[in-house]
Amino acid sequence: MIWQRVQTFLTYLVRFVVTISAIAIVAFDLFNGIDWQIPAFLESYLERLEDRPPPPERDEIRKYVQFTNVKYGRREVVTGTEFASDRNRSITTQWCYISGSIPGGRRVQLTLATKTGTGTSAIPNHPSTALADFDLTARSARTLINSHCRFQ
């Protein structure tokens, strides 16, 4: 136990001495007019940093999702809309699903439709058993999409 503490102390002491020595060498060289060269790998990294676009302002929110919930009997139809940012409210993707408890008490969700941007919606081909868990058929699912999904 004590040996571990001594070993940790010595490790930190060596690191401290090496760091102080490096600072002293650089300060001495700079004081005497020696020009330090930046290594090539570090110089190319710094150039790439300069080429990056400026970071967003702190109060800008990027890629956020707005949810809209609509009751459907004992269940809920949820529409999610993802926006590029709070300043650029272009829609990147949208989706709509039904959620609730199914026979047996499990809580599940079933994707009804998705959209890229504001384009046309894509309706997945669900097996009839998945739809039956929500008391739906392919036809009633399409009706539900039109009546309860809040695509923008």
Side-chain angles (χ1 to χ4, degrees), residues 3-17:
W3 174 243
Q4 288 176 333
R5 288 186 179 175
V6 169
Q7 189 176 10
T8 302
F9 172 76
L10 290 174
T11 301
Y12 284 116
L13 180 63
V14 167
R15 287 180 183 169
F16 175 76
V17 168

Side-chain angles (χ1 to χ4, degrees), residues 48-100:
R48 282 186 306 217
L49 280 179
E50 290 173 359
D51 293 339
R52 286 187 180 168
E57 293 182 23
R58 289 183 181 244
D59 58 350
E60 180 180 15
I61 300 170
R62 290 186 173 187
K63 285 195 134 200
Y64 74 94
V65 177
Q66 177 182 347
F67 291 98
T68 305
N69 299 19
V70 179
K71 281 285 193 195
Y72 177 70
R74 298 182 329 263
R75 299 187 172 102
E76 211 167 33
V77 176
V78 180
T79 305
T81 304
E82 182 183 77
F83 296 93
S85 74
D86 63 337
R87 294 202 181 124
N88 173 9
R89 289 191 42 100
S90 62
I91 296 171
T92 54
T93 187
Q94 301 181 75
W95 60 94
C96 180
Y97 62 87
I98 185 170
S99 69

